Amino acid sequence: MRQFLHLFLVASAFGSPLEKRVSGTSVVNLGNNTGSPMHLASGILYGIPDTPDQIPQNLYEDMGFNYARAGGAQVAAPGRGWIWGLTEYKNRFASALSNYQTARTYDANFIFLIHDLWGADGTQNSTAPYPGDDGDWSDWDDYLTHWISDIKANNATEGLSVDIWNEPDETAFWNAPQAQYFQMWGRTYHRLGTELPSVKLIGPAFAGQPDASNDWWTGFLSFVASNTSVPDEWVWHMEGGGGDMEGAYGALFNLLGTYNLPNNPLNIDEYSTYAEQVPAGSAWWISQLERVNAIGLRGNWLSGSQLHDFLASLLSKPNADNSNYSATGGGYFPNGDYQVYKYYNLNMTGYRVGSSPSADLKLDTYATVGSDTVKVLTGARITTGTWQVEINDLSAVGLADSGTLNIHTWSFPFTGGHFGEVDGPTDLGWYEHTYSGNNVTFPIYQTDNSTAYAFEFLRG
Ligand SMILES: *[C@@H]1O[C@H](CO)[C@@H](O)[C@H](O)[C@H]1NC(C)=O
Ligand SMILES: *[C@@H]1O[C@H](CO)[C@@H](O)[C@H](O)[C@H]1NC(C)=O
Ligand SMILES: *[C@@H]1O[C@H](CO)[C@@H](O)[C@H](O)[C@H]1NC(C)=O
Ligand SMILES: *[C@@H]1O[C@H](CO)[C@@H](O)[C@H](O)[C@H]1NC(C)=O
Ligand SMILES: *[C@@H]1O[C@H](CO)[C@@H](O)[C@H](O)[C@H]1NC(C)=O
Ligand SMILES: *[C@@H]1O[C@H](CO)[C@@H](O)[C@H](O)[C@H]1NC(C)=O
Ligand SMILES: *[C@@H]1O[C@H](CO)[C@@H](O)[C@H](O)[C@H]1NC(C)=O
Ligand SMILES: *[C@@H]1O[C@H](CO)[C@@H](O)[C@H](O)[C@H]1NC(C)=O
């Protein structure tokens, strides 16, 4: 009876649970310790105000903020970057430096976007110059000279990485020949490697995921192998609303074998669409990134001053979404998506355990085993339906291989949307599950496309 109540509560918008077909099962294996949680997915693209301390400290700390990425894009005029002259370069640099300094306050790493500082942030006009146009590299060389000097003058190398160019496979960011991009990569990599040896050089930050039939990937890997300009981290973006991390990493792994390249760490420095930036979508992405040990930075779908605000759509404030919005205003509060990152950072402690997504890749699960409690976070990829979570090897956490298990359920609603206020998850109570065979299985009734769930139970 209690078990039925549990199902009924989680499924309140549904009819009888028995009528609903289960689409698949996400499996947690408690016996598979995959190491310490480092909340790898807690990075953000932009989202940091250029005024230090505008967002209160606890809002950075509680979400586990540990990675930032910026380069002064879309700052107030005059600030269109190097291609518009030194003053417009300086204004972008000041924004990026401020964001860097904020990041370092929290011991977060920082990825400098030198394409944005150059001026290719996607708002540049159709005749804007690119490095090496007509075989002339003098302007790019001069630009790098200024940038290297400014980085050194500001002691800004600690925790610093450089994405040599963002999404060159998109004409919005690189409207010049592919071969010219490879030359730019080779020149820039070797110069920065010599002049800023402690700075990580990462890339290629393609919009497209690794794929043996994508000539940006094959051309790039072939070039860096022959040019000895292998990035310190393999970077690409997952913002198309499709794909999955095991598939994408598997394709990269095979390509690295083909070109005899090292299996360097992964950095997905833009992940999730705006629609996926909801509790269920974030739980799904956290599970995906953690499984392959990829660093992840949330994409940012806001523009203008809002690009430099709200920690990449995790926060809101009064007038956030109306014409009275103020770039420098305060009064910040968390949205529903924020609560997932807070739980992931502060509550999911101990050690991680392996899991697998449902076969249809729609439901995924991230789990940790703490000194007292097992915690399982789950979310569907912004869709509705019925799936199951199966938790195997209960004896690995000291439980009997059959009996009853009391599970504490929490929901993470997205009340009010990206600009709504949610101050914590909702307690759905404790419910008993009878199990045998050393595993317990329970359904997830995903009746909306945004709510994530967490399940907690005591170890034996
Ligand atoms: C396009 O941008 C470049 C700087 O990137 C500028 O020199 C040029 O005047 C702009 N062209 C137009 C038509 O605005
Ligand atoms: C530069 O930064 C490093 C690391 O943060 C610090 O140890 C050092 O004191 C700084 N140097 C100066 C001159 O500020
Ligand atoms: C790498 O490519 C750049 C651009 O063509 C070139 O300047 C550099 O000499 C190359 N380095 C090596 C080691 O091949
Ligand atoms: C903006 O503020 C003005 C002045 O306080 C107020 O009259 C107006 O209704 C506000 N607009 C919105 C969309 O809240
Ligand atoms: C997360 O941990 C905090 C601090 O221990 C606790 O107060 C809170 O209830 C926990 N949240 C959930 C959802 O378990
Ligand atoms: C443990 O989990 C990791 C990550 O999900 C997975 O790659 C690995 O194959 C699992 N190992 C076992 C023995 O299940
Ligand atoms: C889970 O338990 C059921 C019995 O409840 C058993 O049939 C099944 O083999 C178990 N699964 C695993 C992976 O051990
Ligand atoms: C999620 O559901 C809401 C409410 O039904 C709907 O407005 C929204 O378009 C849906 N989003 C997706 C990605 O399906």
Side-chain angles (χ1 to χ4, degrees):
M1 187 57 197
R2 298 208 59 188
Q3 186 161 355
F4 175 75
L5 262 179
H6 178 196
L7 308 187
F8 183 74
L9 278 178
V10 176
S12 51
F14 258 23
S16 160
L18 301 174
E19 291 164 16
K20 297 300 164 191
R21 210 179 124 256
V22 173
S23 305
T25 304
S26 176
V27 179
V28 176
N29 182 356
L30 295 177
N32 181 9
N33 179 335
T34 58
S36 297
M38 291 186 293
H39 46 96
L40 294 169
S42 299
I44 52 174
L45 171 63
Y46 284 95
I48 301 172
D50 294 344
T51 305
D53 303 323
Q54 183 173 309
I55 293 175
Q57 194 176 334
N58 70 300
L59 290 172
Y60 286 98
E61 286 171 351
D62 289 354
M63 67 154 285
F65 169 62
N66 58 13
Y67 239 104
R69 181 174 184 257
Q74 301 184 35
V75 294
R80 292 168 296 177
W82 173 265
I83 58 177
W84 291 93
L86 202 53
T87 300
E88 303 216 20
Y89 160 91
K90 284 183 173 163
N91 290 335
R92 283 201 173 191
F93 187 86
S95 165
L97 180 64
S98 166
N99 291 171
Y100 167 82
Q101 287 164 343
T102 296
R104 296 309 296 156
T105 305
Y106 298 98
D107 214 21
N109 296 311
F110 187 85
I111 301 169
F112 206 116
L113 291 172
I114 57 175
H115 80 288
D116 275 343
L117 181 61
W118 167 265
D121 63 357
T123 65
Q124 75 278 21
N125 68 41
S126 60
T127 58
Y130 291 87
D133 279 350
D134 305 317
D136 179 357
W137 293 94
S138 58
D139 198 26
W140 181 245
D141 291 344
D142 193 18
Y143 166 73
L144 289 181
T145 300
H146 270 83
W147 183 75
I148 293 165
S149 159
D150 286 343
I151 288 290
K152 287 182 172 168
N154 288 287
N155 194 22
T157 55
E158 188 95 356
L160 187 69
S161 303
V162 176
D163 245 338
I164 290 181
W165 202 269
N166 174 68
E167 298 191 356
D169 56 337
E170 293 283 324
T171 52
F173 297 104
W174 183 267
N175 194 10
Q178 187 188 64
Q180 187 176 328
Y181 162 72
F182 296 146
Q183 295 305 304
M184 186 278 302
W185 174 277
R187 294 176 71 92
T188 309
Y189 181 99
H190 288 293
R191 179 157 181 208
L192 297 183
T194 304
E195 298 189 42
L196 293 171
S198 70
V199 173
K200 277 188 202 152
L201 303 173
I202 67 172
F206 289 154
Q209 66 186 62
D211 179 345
S213 67
N214 177 329
D215 66 9
W216 284 91
W217 273 103
T218 53
F220 178 78
L221 296 175
S222 162
F223 178 82
V224 301
S226 68
N227 187 250
T228 56
S229 47
V230 179
D232 294 314
E233 291 167 353
W234 299 110
V235 180
W236 71 92
H237 296 163
M238 295 292 285
E239 295 196 302
D244 74 289
M245 285 310 302
E246 279 188 302
Y249 176 47
L252 176 71
F253 190 83
N254 289 336
L255 284 165
L256 296 179
T258 302
Y259 295 98
N260 196 23
L261 288 163
N263 190 17
N264 284 344
L266 308 182
N267 193 328
I268 306 303
D269 65 16
E270 292 186 27
Y271 75 85
S272 78
T273 63
Y274 195 50
E276 287 171 343
Q277 292 186 339
V278 303
S282 293
W284 190 90
W285 274 110
I286 287 167
S287 309
Q288 287 275 314
L289 292 160
E290 289 282 348
R291 179 169 300 115
V292 299
N293 295 310
I295 294 162
L297 280 69
R298 287 167 60 86
N300 195 321
W301 301 92
L302 304 178
S303 55
S305 300
Q306 295 199 340
L307 175 69
H308 295 253
D309 205 348
F310 305 129
L311 303 183
S313 295
L314 288 173
L315 302 179
S316 184
K317 65 186 181 185
N319 300 313
D321 59 347
N322 68 46
S323 52
N324 288 337
Y325 166 73
S326 160
T328 54
Y332 288 94
F333 49 83
N335 68 17
D337 204 9
Y338 182 93
Q339 299 304 331
V340 171
Y341 286 83
K342 184 176 175 181
Y343 182 78
Y344 168 51
N345 176 44
L346 294 180
N347 296 69
M348 299 191 78
T349 55
Y351 58 88
R352 303 181 304 172
V353 288
S355 68
S356 57
S358 59
D360 63 6
L361 299 175
K362 301 267 192 232
L363 188 79
D364 211 347
T365 300
Y366 171 68
T368 55
V369 177
S371 50
D372 304 317
T373 312
V374 175
K375 299 199 168 98
V376 178
L377 175 67
T378 192
R381 192 177 193 180
I382 56 168
T383 186
T384 58
T386 303
W387 290 268
Q388 295 183 137
V389 170
E390 176 181 320
I391 302 177
N392 284 337
D393 208 353
L394 292 166
S395 57
V397 296
L399 292 163
D401 65 7
S402 67
T404 53
L405 193 61
N406 269 316
I407 300 185
H408 195 178
T409 301
W410 300 84
S411 69
F412 291 78
F414 194 49
T415 313
H418 291 100
F419 292 109
E421 177 168 0
V422 178
D423 293 318
T426 304
D427 189 343
L428 299 182
W430 289 84
Y431 297 95
E432 247 173 37
H433 292 262
T434 303
Y435 71 93
S436 62
N438 207 16
N439 68 74
V440 63
T441 300
F442 49 87
I444 304 295
Y445 294 104
Q446 193 76 44
T447 59
D448 64 42
N449 57 24
S450 59
T451 304
Y453 294 95
F455 302 93
E456 303 179 344
F457 54 90
L458 294 173
R459 303 180 56 159

